[in-house]
Amino acid sequence: MTYEVIRHQLPLFDEDGRAGATDDEHGRDLYYLPDLPEEDPYAAGHRTCAGCGPAIQYRWVLKAAGQDTVVAGPTGCMYVANSTYLCTPYTVPWAHTPIASGGSFTSGVAAGYEAMIRKGRYPGPYPNILVMAGDGSASDIGIGSISGALHRNHDALFICYDNECYANTGIQVSPTTPYAGMTTFTPFGKAIPEGNKLPPKNLAKMMAEGHPHCYVATTTVGYPVDLMNKTRKGLNHVGAAFLHCYTPCQKGWVYQTSMTVELGRRVVESGLWPVWEYDPAERQYHYFHPPVQRPVTDYLAMQGRFGHMLPEHVATMQVGANRNWEAIGMDVPAPLRDLEDPGRHQRLKDEEYSMPLNRGAGA
Ligand SMILES: Cc1ncc(C[n+]2csc(CCOP(=O)(O)OP(=O)(O)O)c2C)c(N)n1
Ligand code: SF4
Ligand SMILES: [Mg+2]
């Protein structure tokens, strides 16, 4: 006898009825939160750094997923800092996987639950199954196993928490480290003044283009409701889903501890992290158009990892941001176009802004 597999359909949080929101001078809604579940499957008491972006992401994702959830986590900060001997902050089943195996492990969990429910050996319903892998895992060492899982369309949500470095082993460069982002493996100096010469790997677009039957989305910890709704959409989607979330690393990026969420907005408003959703049914991308467009320096100057950048490096960054604005269907205002000129930055650097002192990663 074969039993039916019953799946959860999690309701989405209201993003429109923002009566309680207060606007800042740019019209950005502040402090808006809908009624959220009180449960926190990622409880207080973990050992990540103060202001850790991945920890904020873990909390929102698991709040959105709820108690009937099974979580996997490949090696990285969010394994090590959350699994002190005989202690974890999870109130739901959680397993550590090798760094390369987040995709294959989670495939096995998903296939196992499907089989057990069909055979009547697990009463169901089918739980929310997700894995949260770092960028080193999801975009580099473990990308093959995640791509395989997406291709085979296992019913699970595969999340990359992206702190743009191999944080846990000492802030080494990863494929998603931004151009000019300083890490311990990309120090700046006379030979390579920008530190990191390469642009970041466009992981989310690779996943969407390469697996067109999957739900794929990007988000940041600056937009908690968006993050929670995309978590729920990814879990509701029958089949594989991939979510790429920008999560600042306080230790590696060297910024004021309280600025994690603000960075999560500024990275979008400076055109460096397009927020979008790919709908596999329509085969269409839906781009978020932020209400504010800022120069990249509004973002870069908050972080010590960019403090060594010279005017020509900042101009290169602005070129990339401007191409991103065009790619998501937004006009590039003339002042932002002007900032593609390194000469303009030299003048601004002398007169209007200063980059922070770069004391090195982890300072
Ligand atoms: C195959 C393998 N290579 C290297 C390591 C060492 N290692 C442990 S954690 C880690 C960093 C992982 O980086 P990321 O996935 O970005 O997570 P983060 O530490 O940034 O949270 C590395 C390289 C490992 N555990 N396994
Ligand atoms: S090093 Fe970065 S990712 Fe790791 S716990 Fe600290 S802030 Fe979080
Ligand atoms: Mg990382």
Side-chain angles (χ1 to χ4, degrees), residues 174-214:
S174 89
T176 62
T177 302
Y179 168 76
M182 187 190 154
T183 67
T184 47
F185 278 10
T186 53
F188 67 98
K190 279 195 188 133
I192 309 178
E194 66 271 63
N196 183 28
K197 291 164 84 82
L198 300 174
K201 185 184 278 191
N202 196 338
L203 178 66
K205 274 277 163 90
M206 280 176 72
M207 293 311 201
E209 294 289 322
H211 314 87
H213 55 285
C214 297

XYZ file of all heavy atoms in Angstrom, residues 174-214:
304
model
N 36.873 33.859 -0.679
C 36.022 32.814 -1.261
C 35.574 33.317 -2.630
O 35.816 34.482 -2.970
C 34.802 32.536 -0.367
O 33.715 33.386 -0.719
N 34.889 32.500 -3.418
C 34.464 32.975 -4.741
C 33.482 34.140 -4.688
O 33.301 34.834 -5.667
C 33.794 31.748 -5.366
C 34.373 30.588 -4.642
C 34.617 31.058 -3.247
N 32.833 34.367 -3.534
C 31.880 35.483 -3.476
C 32.476 36.720 -2.795
O 31.769 37.714 -2.597
C 30.573 35.078 -2.744
O 30.884 34.720 -1.401
C 29.860 33.937 -3.440
N 33.752 36.678 -2.433
C 34.396 37.888 -1.899
C 34.337 38.981 -2.963
O 34.689 38.733 -4.121
C 35.872 37.598 -1.537
O 35.915 36.529 -0.595
C 36.541 38.828 -0.942
N 33.887 40.207 -2.611
C 33.773 41.237 -3.643
C 35.138 41.718 -4.130
O 36.140 41.569 -3.425
C 33.018 42.369 -2.928
C 33.225 42.133 -1.479
C 33.426 40.658 -1.296
N 35.132 42.298 -5.305
C 36.321 42.990 -5.829
C 36.833 43.941 -4.739
O 36.036 44.644 -4.101
C 35.918 43.770 -7.087
C 36.961 44.760 -7.560
C 38.096 44.326 -8.219
C 36.806 46.127 -7.309
C 39.066 45.230 -8.635
C 37.764 47.039 -7.715
C 38.893 46.585 -8.372
O 39.832 47.479 -8.775
N 38.131 43.934 -4.512
C 38.797 44.815 -3.542
C 38.469 44.490 -2.085
O 38.892 45.219 -1.188
C 38.510 46.299 -3.808
N 37.743 43.413 -1.839
C 37.464 43.029 -0.451
C 38.720 42.401 0.149
O 39.235 41.413 -0.364
N 39.211 42.978 1.237
C 40.421 42.433 1.824
C 40.114 41.201 2.666
O 39.165 41.200 3.450
C 41.112 43.474 2.693
C 42.460 42.944 3.168
S 43.197 43.986 4.397
C 44.215 42.778 5.224
N 40.896 40.163 2.482
C 40.831 38.982 3.349
C 42.274 38.622 3.717
O 43.209 39.230 3.188
C 40.194 37.769 2.630
O 41.073 37.350 1.577
C 38.827 38.100 2.064
N 42.434 37.605 4.556
C 43.805 37.237 4.919
C 44.549 36.637 3.728
O 45.771 36.593 3.728
C 43.803 36.239 6.086
O 42.851 35.210 5.817
C 43.415 36.923 7.389
N 43.831 36.144 2.712
C 44.489 35.614 1.512
C 44.551 36.650 0.387
O 45.094 36.367 -0.676
C 43.758 34.364 0.987
C 44.125 33.097 1.707
C 44.877 33.112 2.878
C 43.705 31.862 1.208
C 45.196 31.939 3.541
C 44.032 30.678 1.867
C 44.775 30.718 3.035
N 43.937 37.815 0.579
C 44.008 38.875 -0.440
C 44.411 40.184 0.247
O 43.665 41.155 0.237
C 42.655 39.054 -1.168
O 41.623 39.249 -0.181
C 42.317 37.906 -2.066
N 45.624 40.211 0.811
C 46.063 41.462 1.440
C 46.368 42.492 0.352
O 46.705 42.122 -0.766
C 47.346 41.042 2.163
C 47.857 39.867 1.389
C 46.639 39.156 0.846
N 46.226 43.753 0.659
C 46.619 44.784 -0.307
C 48.087 45.126 -0.090
O 48.618 44.961 1.007
C 45.737 46.014 -0.162
C 45.918 46.752 1.140
C 46.742 47.868 1.210
C 45.270 46.333 2.297
C 46.921 48.543 2.410
C 45.451 47.011 3.499
C 46.270 48.107 3.559
N 48.729 45.563 -1.145
C 50.145 45.930 -1.043
C 50.578 46.582 -2.332
O 49.741 46.891 -3.184
N 51.877 46.756 -2.507
C 52.371 47.454 -3.705
C 52.019 46.683 -4.971
O 51.602 47.252 -5.970
C 53.886 47.609 -3.615
C 54.295 48.786 -2.752
C 55.755 49.131 -2.967
C 56.160 50.174 -1.936
N 57.397 49.882 -1.263
N 52.183 45.377 -4.939
C 51.972 44.588 -6.158
C 50.492 44.539 -6.534
O 50.134 44.651 -7.704
C 52.504 43.172 -5.958
N 49.612 44.375 -5.546
C 48.165 44.289 -5.813
C 47.455 45.263 -4.873
O 46.946 44.864 -3.812
C 47.637 42.847 -5.611
C 48.495 41.848 -6.391
C 46.174 42.736 -6.059
C 48.092 40.399 -6.226
N 47.392 46.542 -5.251
C 46.863 47.540 -4.302
C 45.385 47.356 -3.983
O 44.924 47.803 -2.935
C 47.115 48.879 -5.013
C 47.461 48.549 -6.421
C 47.930 47.136 -6.477
N 44.622 46.703 -4.859
C 43.197 46.524 -4.554
C 42.931 45.292 -3.686
O 41.785 45.052 -3.290
C 42.344 46.467 -5.833
C 42.563 45.277 -6.740
C 43.646 45.535 -7.763
O 44.805 45.747 -7.339
O 43.360 45.469 -8.968
N 43.940 44.506 -3.397
C 43.699 43.303 -2.593
C 43.111 42.191 -3.441
O 43.835 41.381 -4.013
N 41.828 42.143 -3.552
C 41.192 41.108 -4.392
C 40.909 41.677 -5.779
O 40.151 42.632 -5.925
C 39.888 40.641 -3.731
C 39.208 39.523 -4.516
O 39.862 38.758 -5.213
N 37.892 39.434 -4.404
N 41.483 41.050 -6.808
C 41.336 41.575 -8.176
C 40.057 41.088 -8.861
O 39.642 41.630 -9.870
C 42.512 41.103 -9.037
C 43.841 41.719 -8.662
C 44.994 40.940 -9.265
C 45.267 41.354 -10.681
N 46.078 42.570 -10.779
N 39.456 40.013 -8.318
C 38.379 39.342 -9.070
C 36.983 39.809 -8.646
O 36.747 40.082 -7.469
C 38.464 37.829 -8.849
C 39.769 37.184 -9.288
C 39.792 35.712 -8.877
C 39.938 37.308 -10.797
N 36.042 39.866 -9.589
C 34.645 40.127 -9.201
C 34.043 38.867 -8.585
O 34.529 37.763 -8.824
C 33.967 40.447 -10.542
C 34.766 39.693 -11.550
C 36.190 39.632 -11.029
N 32.984 39.019 -7.778
C 32.411 37.831 -7.126
C 31.658 36.924 -8.107
O 31.102 37.393 -9.096
C 31.436 38.435 -6.108
C 31.104 39.791 -6.642
C 32.295 40.265 -7.401
N 31.654 35.655 -7.784
C 30.882 34.679 -8.576
C 29.400 34.990 -8.421
O 28.935 35.220 -7.295
C 31.177 33.279 -8.026
C 30.553 32.135 -8.802
C 30.831 30.785 -8.117
C 32.179 30.231 -8.434
N 32.355 28.808 -7.995
N 28.670 35.009 -9.512
C 27.227 35.289 -9.437
C 26.486 33.977 -9.176
O 25.885 33.380 -10.077
C 26.755 35.963 -10.731
C 25.393 36.623 -10.551
O 24.643 36.260 -9.645
N 25.071 37.567 -11.401
N 26.535 33.568 -7.914
C 26.054 32.233 -7.544
C 24.567 32.048 -7.820
O 24.148 31.037 -8.380
C 26.355 31.979 -6.062
C 25.872 30.649 -5.514
C 26.623 29.487 -6.156
C 26.037 30.597 -3.987
N 23.754 33.040 -7.402
C 22.300 32.853 -7.518
C 21.890 32.761 -8.994
O 21.038 31.932 -9.368
C 21.562 33.987 -6.826
N 22.491 33.599 -9.829
C 22.142 33.519 -11.266
C 22.592 32.181 -11.853
O 21.897 31.578 -12.688
C 22.768 34.693 -12.033
C 21.903 35.963 -12.002
C 20.810 35.943 -13.066
C 19.701 36.950 -12.810
N 19.863 38.257 -13.379
N 23.748 31.694 -11.410
C 24.197 30.363 -11.878
C 23.163 29.300 -11.522
O 22.849 28.420 -12.324
C 25.512 29.974 -11.190
C 26.751 30.578 -11.761
S 28.175 30.104 -10.753
C 28.360 28.379 -11.158
N 22.660 29.401 -10.301
C 21.706 28.382 -9.840
C 20.380 28.493 -10.607
O 19.769 27.483 -10.945
C 21.464 28.516 -8.339
C 22.685 28.180 -7.498
S 23.459 26.626 -7.971
C 24.385 26.209 -6.497
N 19.931 29.726 -10.860
C 18.659 29.896 -11.575
C 18.801 29.481 -13.038
O 17.974 28.727 -13.572
C 18.195 31.353 -11.471
N 19.860 29.955 -13.690
C 20.038 29.633 -15.112
C 20.308 28.141 -15.303
O 19.897 27.550 -16.303
C 21.207 30.449 -15.687
C 20.950 31.945 -15.730
C 19.923 32.340 -16.785
O 19.921 31.739 -17.867
O 19.130 33.258 -16.517
N 21.034 27.576 -14.341
C 21.433 26.172 -14.495
C 20.365 25.173 -14.082
O 20.461 23.994 -14.428
N 19.362 25.621 -13.336
C 18.330 24.690 -12.835
C 16.973 25.370 -13.004
O 16.345 25.786 -12.019
C 18.583 24.357 -11.363
C 20.018 24.011 -11.068
N 20.968 24.962 -10.769
C 20.668 22.817 -11.082
C 22.142 24.366 -10.590
N 21.991 23.064 -10.777
N 16.518 25.544 -14.248
C 15.349 26.403 -14.501
C 14.034 25.888 -13.912
O 13.047 26.614 -13.909
C 15.291 26.472 -16.034
C 16.129 25.347 -16.526
C 17.126 25.025 -15.465
N 14.027 24.651 -13.384
C 12.800 24.143 -12.754
C 12.737 24.495 -11.275
O 11.768 24.139 -10.603
C 12.742 22.612 -12.916
C 13.985 21.934 -12.389
N 15.180 21.956 -13.064
C 14.219 21.262 -11.235
C 16.098 21.300 -12.358
N 15.535 20.873 -11.237
N 13.773 25.179 -10.738
C 13.824 25.449 -9.299
C 13.371 26.873 -8.983
O 13.588 27.791 -9.774
C 15.252 25.285 -8.783
S 15.868 23.609 -8.951
